[in-house]
Amino acid sequence: MTIIAELQALLGEAHVLEPSAGLERYTRDWSREIVGQPLAVVRPADTAEVAAVLRLCHERGVPVVAQGGNTGLVHGAIPSSDGRELVVSLERMNRVRAIDRVNFSLVAEAGCILQSVNDAAEAEDRFFPLSLGARGSCQIGGTISTNAGGINVLRWGMMRELVLGLEVVLPDGRIWNGLRQLRKDNTGYDLKQLFIGAEGTLGIVTAAALKLFPRPTQIETCLLAVPSAEAAMTLFAAARRDLSDLLSAFELLLRPCIDIVLRQQPAIHEPLATQAPAYVLLEASASGFVELRPLLERFLEQSMSAGLVLDGVVAESKAQSAALWRIREDLVEAQYQEAPRHLRTDISVPLSALPAFIAAADKALGEAMPGVQSLAYGHVGDGNVHYNVMPAPGTPEGEVADLMKQCETLLYALARKFEGSISAEHGIGRSKRTAFLDQLPAIDLMLMRMIKAGLDPDDLMAKSRLL
Ligand SMILES: Cc1cc2nc3c(=O)[nH]c(=O)nc-3n(C[C@H](O)[C@H](O)[C@H](O)COP(=O)(O)OP(=O)(O)OC[C@H]3O[C@@H](n4cnc5c(N)ncnc54)[C@H](O)[C@@H]3O)c2cc1C
Protein backbone atom coordinates (compact mmCIF):
# COMPACT_ATOMS: atom_id res chain seq x y z
CA MET A 1 0.00 0.00 0.00
CA THR A 2 1.37 3.44 -0.86
CA ILE A 3 1.67 6.10 1.85
CA ILE A 4 -1.08 8.08 0.09
CA ALA A 5 -3.42 5.09 0.19
CA GLU A 6 -2.63 4.58 3.88
CA LEU A 7 -3.34 8.23 4.62
CA GLN A 8 -6.61 7.97 2.71
CA ALA A 9 -7.53 4.96 4.80
CA LEU A 10 -6.93 7.01 7.95
CA LEU A 11 -8.61 10.30 6.98
CA GLY A 12 -10.87 9.49 4.04
CA GLU A 13 -10.03 10.34 0.42
CA ALA A 14 -11.56 13.81 0.59
CA HIS A 15 -8.99 14.93 3.15
CA VAL A 16 -5.84 13.71 1.43
CA LEU A 17 -5.16 16.15 -1.37
CA GLU A 18 -2.67 15.08 -4.00
CA PRO A 19 -0.52 17.50 -6.04
CA SER A 20 -2.65 16.84 -9.13
CA ALA A 21 -5.58 18.46 -7.26
CA GLY A 22 -4.15 22.00 -7.66
CA LEU A 23 -2.71 22.71 -4.24
CA GLU A 24 -1.49 26.21 -4.95
CA ARG A 25 -2.67 27.78 -1.73
CA TYR A 26 -0.71 25.24 0.33
CA THR A 27 2.50 25.70 -1.65
CA ARG A 28 3.19 29.41 -1.29
CA ASP A 29 2.76 31.90 1.50
CA TRP A 30 1.69 35.48 1.64
CA SER A 31 5.11 36.73 0.48
CA ARG A 32 4.83 34.77 -2.79
CA GLU A 33 8.60 34.51 -2.76
CA ILE A 34 9.06 30.74 -3.00
CA VAL A 35 6.90 27.81 -4.09
CA GLY A 36 7.00 24.30 -2.60
CA GLN A 37 5.95 20.90 -3.91
CA PRO A 38 4.22 18.74 -1.27
CA LEU A 39 3.98 14.97 -1.28
CA ALA A 40 0.32 15.60 -0.44
CA VAL A 41 -1.76 17.79 1.88
CA VAL A 42 -3.71 16.13 4.69
CA ARG A 43 -6.51 17.84 6.58
CA PRO A 44 -7.17 15.94 9.83
CA ALA A 45 -10.45 16.58 11.66
CA ASP A 46 -9.22 16.11 15.23
CA THR A 47 -6.27 15.37 17.51
CA ALA A 48 -6.64 11.59 17.11
CA GLU A 49 -6.33 11.95 13.33
CA VAL A 50 -3.23 14.15 13.66
CA ALA A 51 -1.76 11.48 15.94
CA ALA A 52 -2.56 8.72 13.44
CA VAL A 53 -0.91 10.68 10.61
CA LEU A 54 2.27 11.38 12.60
CA ARG A 55 2.48 7.75 13.79
CA LEU A 56 2.33 6.57 10.19
CA CYS A 57 4.88 9.16 8.99
CA HIS A 58 7.17 8.19 11.86
CA GLU A 59 7.00 4.50 10.88
CA ARG A 60 7.58 5.27 7.21
CA GLY A 61 10.22 8.00 7.65
CA VAL A 62 8.08 10.61 5.86
CA PRO A 63 9.00 14.24 6.59
CA VAL A 64 6.15 16.47 7.77
CA VAL A 65 5.45 20.19 7.93
CA ALA A 66 2.53 21.67 9.86
CA GLN A 67 0.64 24.45 8.16
CA GLY A 68 -1.60 27.05 9.74
CA GLY A 69 -2.90 30.10 7.89
CA ASN A 70 0.30 30.29 5.84
CA THR A 71 0.81 33.95 6.71
CA GLY A 72 4.27 33.42 8.20
CA LEU A 73 6.92 35.72 6.77
CA VAL A 74 9.94 33.37 6.86
CA HIS A 75 8.73 30.51 4.61
CA GLY A 76 8.49 28.03 7.50
CA ALA A 77 5.16 26.44 6.49
CA ILE A 78 5.95 26.02 2.80
CA PRO A 79 6.76 22.41 1.86
CA SER A 80 10.18 21.62 0.42
CA SER A 81 10.49 21.63 -3.36
CA ASP A 82 11.52 17.94 -3.66
CA GLY A 83 7.97 16.58 -3.38
CA ARG A 84 8.80 14.48 -0.27
CA GLU A 85 7.26 16.52 2.54
CA LEU A 86 3.70 15.95 3.73
CA VAL A 87 1.76 19.11 4.63
CA VAL A 88 -0.49 18.69 7.68
CA SER A 89 -3.02 21.50 7.46
CA LEU A 90 -4.89 22.28 10.69
CA GLU A 91 -7.64 24.19 8.89
CA ARG A 92 -10.45 21.78 9.79
CA MET A 93 -9.62 21.87 13.50
CA ASN A 94 -11.26 25.22 14.06
CA ARG A 95 -13.52 24.85 17.09
CA VAL A 96 -13.44 26.94 20.24
CA ARG A 97 -13.87 24.08 22.69
CA ALA A 98 -14.77 26.05 25.82
CA ILE A 99 -14.76 29.48 27.45
CA ASP A 100 -14.51 29.91 31.22
CA ARG A 101 -15.57 33.46 32.11
CA VAL A 102 -14.57 33.20 35.75
CA ASN A 103 -11.19 31.63 35.04
CA PHE A 104 -10.68 34.19 32.24
CA SER A 105 -9.63 31.42 29.85
CA LEU A 106 -10.57 29.81 26.58
CA VAL A 107 -9.64 26.52 24.91
CA ALA A 108 -9.30 26.63 21.13
CA GLU A 109 -8.22 24.12 18.53
CA ALA A 110 -5.05 24.93 16.65
CA GLY A 111 -6.80 25.69 13.37
CA CYS A 112 -8.98 28.48 14.81
CA ILE A 113 -8.41 31.74 12.96
CA LEU A 114 -7.05 34.36 15.37
CA GLN A 115 -9.89 36.79 14.58
CA SER A 116 -12.49 34.17 15.47
CA VAL A 117 -10.84 33.68 18.87
CA ASN A 118 -10.82 37.46 19.40
CA ASP A 119 -14.54 37.47 18.49
CA ALA A 120 -15.42 34.46 20.66
CA ALA A 121 -13.83 36.15 23.68
CA GLU A 122 -15.65 39.41 22.95
CA ALA A 123 -18.99 37.61 22.71
CA GLU A 124 -18.44 36.54 26.35
CA ASP A 125 -17.46 40.08 27.42
CA ARG A 126 -13.81 39.05 27.59
CA PHE A 127 -10.71 40.04 25.61
CA PHE A 128 -8.02 37.99 23.90
CA PRO A 129 -5.33 40.58 23.18
CA LEU A 130 -3.18 39.06 20.43
CA SER A 131 -3.66 41.24 17.36
CA LEU A 132 -1.72 41.51 14.12
CA GLY A 133 -2.30 42.49 10.50
CA ALA A 134 -2.84 38.86 9.44
CA ARG A 135 -5.46 38.16 12.17
CA GLY A 136 -8.14 37.31 9.59
CA SER A 137 -6.05 34.40 8.24
CA CYS A 138 -3.42 33.28 10.76
CA GLN A 139 -4.31 30.43 13.13
CA ILE A 140 -3.85 29.87 16.84
CA GLY A 141 -1.44 26.96 16.16
CA GLY A 142 0.65 29.13 13.83
CA THR A 143 0.75 32.07 16.24
CA ILE A 144 1.84 29.72 19.05
CA SER A 145 4.47 28.05 16.88
CA THR A 146 5.96 31.41 15.86
CA ASN A 147 5.35 33.01 19.29
CA ALA A 148 3.65 35.85 17.44
CA GLY A 149 3.80 39.41 18.72
CA GLY A 150 1.83 42.18 17.03
CA ILE A 151 0.47 45.48 18.24
CA ASN A 152 -0.52 44.75 21.84
CA VAL A 153 2.66 43.16 23.17
CA LEU A 154 3.75 46.08 25.31
CA ARG A 155 0.73 45.65 27.58
CA TRP A 156 -0.27 41.96 27.34
CA GLY A 157 2.89 40.23 26.07
CA MET A 158 3.67 37.93 23.16
CA MET A 159 1.81 34.67 22.53
CA ARG A 160 4.12 32.91 25.02
CA GLU A 161 2.64 35.02 27.81
CA LEU A 162 -0.92 34.32 26.69
CA VAL A 163 -0.77 30.51 26.74
CA LEU A 164 -1.89 28.61 29.85
CA GLY A 165 -1.66 25.11 28.42
CA LEU A 166 -1.16 23.13 25.22
CA GLU A 167 -2.10 19.86 23.59
CA VAL A 168 0.61 18.60 21.23
CA VAL A 169 1.06 15.55 19.04
CA LEU A 170 4.68 14.44 19.29
CA PRO A 171 6.68 13.38 16.21
CA ASP A 172 6.09 9.69 16.92
CA GLY A 173 2.32 10.17 17.18
CA ARG A 174 1.95 10.20 20.96
CA ILE A 175 -0.36 12.89 22.38
CA TRP A 176 0.90 15.15 25.16
CA ASN A 177 -2.06 16.60 27.04
CA GLY A 178 -0.81 19.74 28.74
CA LEU A 179 -4.11 21.61 28.43
CA ARG A 180 -4.07 22.87 32.01
CA GLN A 181 -5.72 26.20 32.75
CA LEU A 182 -3.73 27.21 35.82
CA ARG A 183 -2.15 30.60 36.51
CA LYS A 184 0.29 29.01 38.91
CA ASP A 185 1.90 25.62 38.38
CA ASN A 186 5.48 24.99 39.44
CA THR A 187 5.48 21.24 39.03
CA GLY A 188 8.69 20.53 37.15
CA TYR A 189 9.76 21.85 33.75
CA ASP A 190 7.24 24.06 32.01
CA LEU A 191 6.95 21.76 28.98
CA LYS A 192 4.54 23.91 26.99
CA GLN A 193 7.25 26.53 26.61
CA LEU A 194 9.28 24.11 24.48
CA PHE A 195 6.62 24.06 21.79
CA ILE A 196 5.88 27.80 21.78
CA GLY A 197 8.06 29.40 19.13
CA ALA A 198 9.41 25.99 18.03
CA GLU A 199 8.08 26.56 14.49
CA GLY A 200 6.72 23.03 14.22
CA THR A 201 10.11 21.37 14.73
CA LEU A 202 9.11 19.45 17.90
CA GLY A 203 5.53 18.37 17.22
CA ILE A 204 2.15 19.63 16.07
CA VAL A 205 0.12 21.85 18.37
CA THR A 206 -3.49 20.70 18.24
CA ALA A 207 -5.15 22.87 20.92
CA ALA A 208 -4.36 25.60 23.42
CA ALA A 209 -5.75 27.04 26.63
CA LEU A 210 -5.41 30.82 26.36
CA LYS A 211 -5.59 33.67 28.87
CA LEU A 212 -8.43 36.16 28.60
CA PHE A 213 -8.68 39.67 30.07
CA PRO A 214 -11.44 42.16 30.84
CA ARG A 215 -12.88 43.55 27.60
CA PRO A 216 -11.77 47.14 27.09
CA THR A 217 -14.86 49.35 27.01
CA GLN A 218 -12.94 52.55 26.29
CA ILE A 219 -10.38 52.62 23.47
CA GLU A 220 -8.60 55.79 22.41
CA THR A 221 -6.56 55.84 19.20
CA CYS A 222 -4.47 58.76 18.03
CA LEU A 223 -1.98 59.53 15.30
CA LEU A 224 0.70 61.99 16.36
CA ALA A 225 3.31 63.83 14.30
CA VAL A 226 6.61 63.93 16.16
CA PRO A 227 9.93 65.64 15.39
CA SER A 228 12.14 62.54 15.39
CA ALA A 229 12.52 58.89 16.40
CA GLU A 230 14.27 60.12 19.59
CA ALA A 231 11.23 62.25 20.44
CA ALA A 232 9.01 59.22 19.80
CA MET A 233 10.90 57.14 22.35
CA THR A 234 10.79 59.96 24.93
CA LEU A 235 7.06 60.19 24.27
CA PHE A 236 6.77 56.43 24.76
CA ALA A 237 8.42 56.57 28.19
CA ALA A 238 6.13 59.46 29.18
CA ALA A 239 3.05 57.60 27.93
CA ARG A 240 3.91 54.52 29.98
CA ARG A 241 4.26 56.64 33.07
CA ASP A 242 1.37 59.09 32.59
CA LEU A 243 -1.29 56.88 31.07
CA SER A 244 -1.37 54.80 34.21
CA ASP A 245 -0.19 51.65 32.40
CA LEU A 246 -3.22 51.77 30.10
CA LEU A 247 -1.07 52.21 26.99
CA SER A 248 -1.74 49.23 24.73
CA ALA A 249 -0.05 50.04 21.39
CA PHE A 250 2.73 52.37 20.32
CA GLU A 251 3.76 52.15 16.66
CA LEU A 252 6.38 54.31 14.99
CA LEU A 253 6.25 55.18 11.30
CA LEU A 254 8.98 57.32 9.75
CA ARG A 255 7.74 59.72 7.05
CA PRO A 256 8.77 57.55 4.03
CA CYS A 257 6.26 54.95 5.31
CA ILE A 258 3.40 57.45 5.05
CA ASP A 259 4.59 58.47 1.57
CA ILE A 260 4.59 54.90 0.24
CA VAL A 261 1.09 54.20 1.61
CA LEU A 262 -0.22 57.42 0.04
CA ARG A 263 1.40 56.46 -3.30
CA GLN A 264 0.08 52.89 -3.35
CA GLN A 265 -3.27 53.11 -1.58
CA PRO A 266 -5.37 55.84 -3.23
CA ALA A 267 -8.15 55.49 -0.64
CA ILE A 268 -5.80 56.77 2.08
CA HIS A 269 -5.22 60.52 2.38
CA GLU A 270 -2.62 62.70 4.11
CA PRO A 271 -3.66 62.15 7.73
CA LEU A 272 -2.53 65.44 9.36
CA ALA A 273 -2.07 69.06 8.32
CA THR A 274 1.55 68.97 9.48
CA GLN A 275 4.07 66.78 7.69
CA ALA A 276 6.72 65.54 10.09
CA PRO A 277 9.81 63.32 10.08
CA ALA A 278 8.02 60.68 12.15
CA TYR A 279 4.57 59.59 13.35
CA VAL A 280 3.31 57.62 16.29
CA LEU A 281 0.12 55.57 16.30
CA LEU A 282 -0.82 55.33 19.94
CA GLU A 283 -3.64 53.40 21.54
CA ALA A 284 -4.75 53.29 25.16
CA SER A 285 -7.60 51.20 26.45
CA ALA A 286 -9.44 50.61 29.70
CA SER A 287 -12.30 48.75 31.25
CA GLY A 288 -14.25 49.63 34.37
CA PHE A 289 -14.52 53.02 36.05
CA VAL A 290 -11.39 54.74 34.73
CA GLU A 291 -12.07 57.85 32.63
CA LEU A 292 -9.66 57.42 29.80
CA ARG A 293 -10.37 60.40 27.51
CA PRO A 294 -9.52 63.14 30.07
CA LEU A 295 -6.36 61.23 30.97
CA LEU A 296 -5.31 61.07 27.32
CA GLU A 297 -6.13 64.74 26.71
CA ARG A 298 -4.01 65.80 29.67
CA PHE A 299 -1.15 63.65 28.43
CA LEU A 300 -1.37 65.08 24.90
CA GLU A 301 -1.49 68.69 26.14
CA GLN A 302 1.59 68.12 28.23
CA SER A 303 3.41 66.38 25.34
CA MET A 304 2.61 69.23 22.94
CA SER A 305 3.87 71.84 25.42
CA ALA A 306 7.08 69.84 25.81
CA GLY A 307 7.55 69.86 22.01
CA LEU A 308 7.32 66.07 21.78
CA VAL A 309 4.16 66.22 19.66
CA LEU A 310 3.82 68.65 16.71
CA ASP A 311 0.31 67.80 15.58
CA GLY A 312 -2.17 65.00 16.03
CA VAL A 313 -5.63 63.58 15.68
CA VAL A 314 -7.64 61.58 18.19
CA ALA A 315 -10.18 59.19 16.62
CA GLU A 316 -13.76 60.14 17.47
CA SER A 317 -15.32 56.85 16.34
CA LYS A 318 -14.51 53.20 15.71
CA ALA A 319 -14.44 53.94 11.98
CA GLN A 320 -11.92 56.75 12.46
CA SER A 321 -9.77 54.53 14.62
CA ALA A 322 -9.87 51.80 11.95
CA ALA A 323 -8.88 54.37 9.31
CA LEU A 324 -5.82 55.35 11.35
CA TRP A 325 -4.85 51.68 11.78
CA ARG A 326 -5.25 51.14 8.04
CA ILE A 327 -2.28 53.41 7.39
CA ARG A 328 -0.11 51.09 9.46
CA GLU A 329 -1.61 47.83 8.24
CA ASP A 330 -1.73 48.70 4.52
CA LEU A 331 1.93 49.63 4.67
CA VAL A 332 2.92 45.95 4.43
CA GLU A 333 1.00 45.43 1.18
CA ALA A 334 2.09 48.84 -0.18
CA GLN A 335 5.71 47.70 -0.05
CA TYR A 336 4.91 44.68 -2.22
CA GLN A 337 3.04 46.89 -4.65
CA GLU A 338 5.97 49.27 -4.93
CA ALA A 339 8.70 46.62 -5.19
CA PRO A 340 7.74 42.93 -5.05
CA ARG A 341 11.38 42.09 -4.26
CA HIS A 342 12.52 44.07 -1.26
CA LEU A 343 14.19 43.37 2.06
CA ARG A 344 12.04 42.75 5.13
CA THR A 345 13.70 42.73 8.49
CA ASP A 346 12.32 42.16 11.96
CA ILE A 347 14.98 43.52 14.27
CA SER A 348 14.74 44.26 17.97
CA VAL A 349 17.16 46.24 20.12
CA PRO A 350 16.87 47.55 23.67
CA LEU A 351 14.29 50.35 23.60
CA SER A 352 16.80 52.97 24.65
CA ALA A 353 19.03 52.09 21.67
CA LEU A 354 16.32 52.21 19.01
CA PRO A 355 16.85 55.77 17.65
CA ALA A 356 20.63 55.21 17.53
CA PHE A 357 20.10 51.92 15.68
CA ILE A 358 17.91 53.61 13.06
CA ALA A 359 20.42 56.47 12.65
CA ALA A 360 23.34 54.03 12.33
CA ALA A 361 21.43 51.93 9.78
CA ASP A 362 20.53 55.04 7.73
CA LYS A 363 24.17 56.13 7.72
CA ALA A 364 25.63 52.73 6.88
CA LEU A 365 23.14 52.08 4.07
CA GLY A 366 23.53 55.61 2.68
CA GLU A 367 27.28 55.11 2.43
CA ALA A 368 27.34 51.52 1.19
CA MET A 369 24.24 51.39 -1.05
CA PRO A 370 23.40 54.84 -2.35
CA GLY A 371 19.93 55.09 -3.88
CA VAL A 372 18.18 52.37 -1.88
CA GLN A 373 15.19 53.54 0.14
CA SER A 374 14.75 52.52 3.74
CA LEU A 375 11.40 52.21 5.50
CA ALA A 376 11.61 52.04 9.26
CA TYR A 377 8.49 51.30 11.27
CA GLY A 378 7.29 48.90 13.88
CA HIS A 379 6.19 48.02 17.36
CA VAL A 380 8.78 50.29 18.92
CA GLY A 381 7.16 50.04 22.34
CA ASP A 382 8.79 46.58 22.26
CA GLY A 383 12.06 47.79 20.70
CA ASN A 384 10.95 46.08 17.46
CA VAL A 385 11.71 47.84 14.20
CA HIS A 386 10.97 46.55 10.71
CA TYR A 387 13.85 48.30 8.98
CA ASN A 388 12.97 47.39 5.38
CA VAL A 389 14.83 48.32 2.23
CA MET A 390 13.49 48.96 -1.28
CA PRO A 391 15.85 48.81 -4.27
CA ALA A 392 16.53 52.08 -6.08
CA PRO A 393 14.04 52.60 -8.93
CA GLY A 394 15.44 51.17 -12.16
CA THR A 395 17.71 48.60 -10.48
CA PRO A 396 18.02 45.74 -13.02
CA GLU A 397 15.86 42.77 -11.96
CA GLY A 398 18.84 40.42 -11.93
CA GLU A 399 20.73 42.58 -9.41
CA VAL A 400 17.99 43.06 -6.81
CA ALA A 401 18.45 39.80 -4.87
CA ASP A 402 22.18 40.36 -4.48
CA LEU A 403 21.74 43.98 -3.45
CA MET A 404 19.12 43.10 -0.83
CA LYS A 405 21.36 40.35 0.55
CA GLN A 406 24.15 42.89 1.04
CA CYS A 407 21.76 45.26 2.83
CA GLU A 408 20.62 42.39 5.06
CA THR A 409 24.19 41.44 6.00
CA LEU A 410 24.92 45.03 6.90
CA LEU A 411 21.76 45.41 9.01
CA TYR A 412 22.22 42.11 10.83
CA ALA A 413 25.80 43.07 11.72
CA LEU A 414 24.45 46.33 13.14
CA ALA A 415 21.73 44.48 15.08
CA ARG A 416 24.44 42.37 16.67
CA LYS A 417 26.50 45.47 17.48
CA PHE A 418 23.47 46.92 19.28
CA GLU A 419 22.98 43.61 21.16
CA GLY A 420 19.73 43.06 19.31
CA SER A 421 17.92 40.18 17.61
CA ILE A 422 17.54 39.47 13.88
CA SER A 423 14.08 38.03 14.51
CA ALA A 424 11.95 39.84 17.03
CA GLU A 425 8.65 38.12 16.21
CA HIS A 426 8.56 36.39 12.79
CA GLY A 427 10.80 33.44 13.69
CA ILE A 428 13.58 31.81 11.67
CA GLY A 429 11.82 29.45 9.22
CA ARG A 430 13.97 28.83 6.19
CA SER A 431 14.72 32.37 5.12
CA LYS A 432 16.69 33.37 8.23
CA ARG A 433 18.26 29.99 8.99
CA THR A 434 21.76 30.73 7.70
CA ALA A 435 21.95 34.11 9.42
CA PHE A 436 20.58 32.58 12.63
CA LEU A 437 23.02 29.66 12.69
CA ASP A 438 25.93 32.00 11.83
CA GLN A 439 25.42 34.03 14.97
CA LEU A 440 24.17 31.35 17.39
CA PRO A 441 26.64 30.63 20.20
CA ALA A 442 27.91 27.01 20.15
CA ILE A 443 26.40 26.20 23.53
CA ASP A 444 22.96 27.47 22.47
CA LEU A 445 23.18 25.32 19.35
CA MET A 446 24.16 22.28 21.41
CA LEU A 447 21.21 22.74 23.80
CA MET A 448 18.75 23.27 20.96
CA ARG A 449 20.03 20.20 19.09
CA MET A 450 19.73 18.08 22.26
CA ILE A 451 16.09 19.09 22.62
CA LYS A 452 15.41 18.42 18.95
CA ALA A 453 17.19 15.04 19.01
CA GLY A 454 15.30 14.04 22.18
CA LEU A 455 11.88 14.69 20.66
CA ASP A 456 12.49 14.09 16.96
CA PRO A 457 15.56 11.85 16.60
CA ASP A 458 14.78 11.06 12.95
CA ASP A 459 14.51 14.77 12.07
CA LEU A 460 11.16 14.42 10.35
CA MET A 461 9.41 17.54 11.64
CA ALA A 462 9.96 20.83 9.77
CA LYS A 463 13.26 19.58 8.35
CA SER A 464 15.81 22.24 7.35
CA ARG A 465 13.98 24.98 9.21
CA LEU A 466 15.23 26.73 12.31
CA LEU A 467 18.12 24.31 13.16
C1 LIG B 1 0.11 41.39 6.81
C2 LIG B 1 0.86 40.60 7.84
C3 LIG B 1 1.11 41.17 9.09
C4 LIG B 1 1.81 40.44 10.05
N1 LIG B 1 2.04 41.03 11.25
C5 LIG B 1 2.68 40.34 12.21
C6 LIG B 1 2.90 40.93 13.49
O1 LIG B 1 2.58 42.08 13.74
N2 LIG B 1 3.51 40.16 14.43
C7 LIG B 1 3.91 38.87 14.18
O2 LIG B 1 4.45 38.23 15.09
N3 LIG B 1 3.73 38.31 12.98
C8 LIG B 1 3.13 39.00 11.99
N4 LIG B 1 2.94 38.43 10.77
C9 LIG B 1 3.44 37.06 10.51
C10 LIG B 1 2.42 35.92 10.71
O3 LIG B 1 1.13 36.36 10.64
C11 LIG B 1 2.66 35.22 12.02
O4 LIG B 1 3.94 34.62 11.98
C12 LIG B 1 1.62 34.12 12.36
O5 LIG B 1 1.90 33.72 13.67
C13 LIG B 1 1.66 32.90 11.47
O6 LIG B 1 0.49 32.13 11.71
P1 LIG B 1 -0.06 31.11 10.60
O7 LIG B 1 -1.20 30.37 11.16
O8 LIG B 1 -0.27 31.80 9.32
O9 LIG B 1 1.18 30.11 10.49
P2 LIG B 1 1.91 29.52 9.22
O10 LIG B 1 2.47 30.60 8.38
O11 LIG B 1 1.04 28.55 8.54
O12 LIG B 1 3.10 28.74 9.93
C14 LIG B 1 4.10 29.42 10.63
C15 LIG B 1 5.04 28.40 11.27
O13 LIG B 1 4.37 27.67 12.30
C16 LIG B 1 4.32 26.28 12.01
N5 LIG B 1 2.98 25.83 12.40
C17 LIG B 1 1.79 26.29 11.95
N6 LIG B 1 0.77 25.67 12.61
C18 LIG B 1 1.34 24.80 13.48
C19 LIG B 1 0.84 23.89 14.43
N7 LIG B 1 -0.47 23.73 14.64
N8 LIG B 1 1.72 23.15 15.16
C20 LIG B 1 3.06 23.27 14.97
N9 LIG B 1 3.59 24.13 14.06
C21 LIG B 1 2.74 24.89 13.33
C22 LIG B 1 4.60 26.17 10.52
O14 LIG B 1 5.19 24.92 10.19
C23 LIG B 1 5.55 27.33 10.30
O15 LIG B 1 6.85 26.99 10.68
C24 LIG B 1 2.26 39.12 9.77
C25 LIG B 1 1.99 38.56 8.52
C26 LIG B 1 1.31 39.28 7.57
C27 LIG B 1 1.05 38.63 6.26
Side-chain angles (χ1 to χ4, degrees), residues 29-30 65-78 88 90 110-111 131-135 137-151 158 195 198-201 203-206 328-329 332-333 346 379 384 386 425-427 429 462 465:
D29 65 11
W30 185 87
V65 62
Q67 197 172 89
N70 221 346
T71 67
L73 295 173
V74 290
H75 307 150
I78 301 178
V88 178
L90 280 297
S131 183
L132 40 112
R135 63 187 161 273
S137 310
C138 65
Q139 298 178 1
I140 288 302
T143 52
I144 288 169
S145 302
T146 58
N147 185 26
I151 58 174
M158 295 183 69
F195 301 96
E199 302 186 40
T201 56
I204 297 189
V205 175
T206 46
R328 166 67 178 86
E329 291 182 348
V332 183
E333 187 62 35
D346 176 30
H379 319 296
N384 185 186
H386 299 303
E425 57 176 12
H426 295 160
R465 290 148 179 104

Side-chain angles (χ1 to χ4, degrees), residues 187-206:
T187 50
Y189 298 139
D190 190 355
L191 294 174
K192 65 178 179 293
Q193 298 299 346
L194 274 181
F195 301 96
I196 304 173
E199 302 186 40
T201 56
L202 303 178
I204 297 189
V205 175
T206 46

Side-chain angles (χ1 to χ4, degrees), residues 130-305:
L130 192 78
S131 183
L132 40 112
R135 63 187 161 273
S137 310
C138 65
Q139 298 178 1
I140 288 302
T143 52
I144 288 169
S145 302
T146 58
N147 185 26
I151 58 174
N152 287 332
V153 171
L154 67 90
R155 173 125 165 238
W156 288 284
M158 295 183 69
M159 194 54 163
R160 188 179 296 289
E161 281 126 297
L162 302 174
V163 173
L164 291 169
L166 284 185
E167 178 187 83
V168 179
V169 177
L170 301 177
D172 63 6
R174 280 178 296 172
I175 298 170
W176 174 60
N177 184 348
L179 267 185
R180 284 183 287 275
Q181 298 186 51
L182 304 173
R183 265 31 187 215
K184 289 183 155 184
D185 179 14
N186 277 347
T187 50
Y189 298 139
D190 190 355
L191 294 174
K192 65 178 179 293
Q193 298 299 346
L194 274 181
F195 301 96
I196 304 173
E199 302 186 40
T201 56
L202 303 178
I204 297 189
V205 175
T206 46
L210 302 171
K211 276 186 203 168
L212 301 180
F213 295 83
R215 183 175 64 82
T217 47
Q218 302 166 59
I219 301 176
E220 299 289 356
T221 312
C222 49
L223 182 73
L224 308 172
V226 298
S228 62
E230 286 87 349
M233 296 317 285
T234 310
L235 185 71
F236 170 71
R240 288 218 64 180
R241 183 194 58 210
D242 297 339
L243 292 178
S244 192
D245 242 350
L246 299 174
L247 183 67
S248 45
F250 194 94
E251 300 282 313
L252 174 71
L253 300 115
L254 296 192
R255 179 67 209 184
C257 303
I258 305 285
D259 290 333
I260 194 171
V261 174
L262 295 180
R263 270 200 303 277
Q264 298 297 336
Q265 304 280 325
I268 296 180
H269 303 292
E270 184 72 51
L272 298 172
T274 313
Q275 290 198 11
Y279 296 79
V280 164
L281 190 53
L282 178 156
E283 198 159 91
S285 54
S287 60
F289 301 129
V290 175
E291 287 189 36
L292 186 58
R293 178 54 82 100
L295 191 66
L296 180 76
E297 282 172 354
R298 221 173 127 192
F299 166 71
L300 291 178
E301 272 164 30
Q302 181 186 289
S303 305
M304 288 189 97
S305 320

Side-chain angles (χ1 to χ4, degrees), residues 403-433:
L403 184 71
M404 293 299 107
K405 190 80 214 154
Q406 290 173 46
C407 295
E408 183 183 79
T409 307
L410 187 153
L411 290 168
Y412 285 0
L414 262 185
R416 193 185 310 190
K417 193 168 153 206
F418 278 80
E419 299 184 355
S421 164
I422 61 164
S423 184
E425 57 176 12
H426 295 160
I428 301 299
R430 295 144 168 271
S431 62
K432 292 193 181 160
R433 187 173 179 235

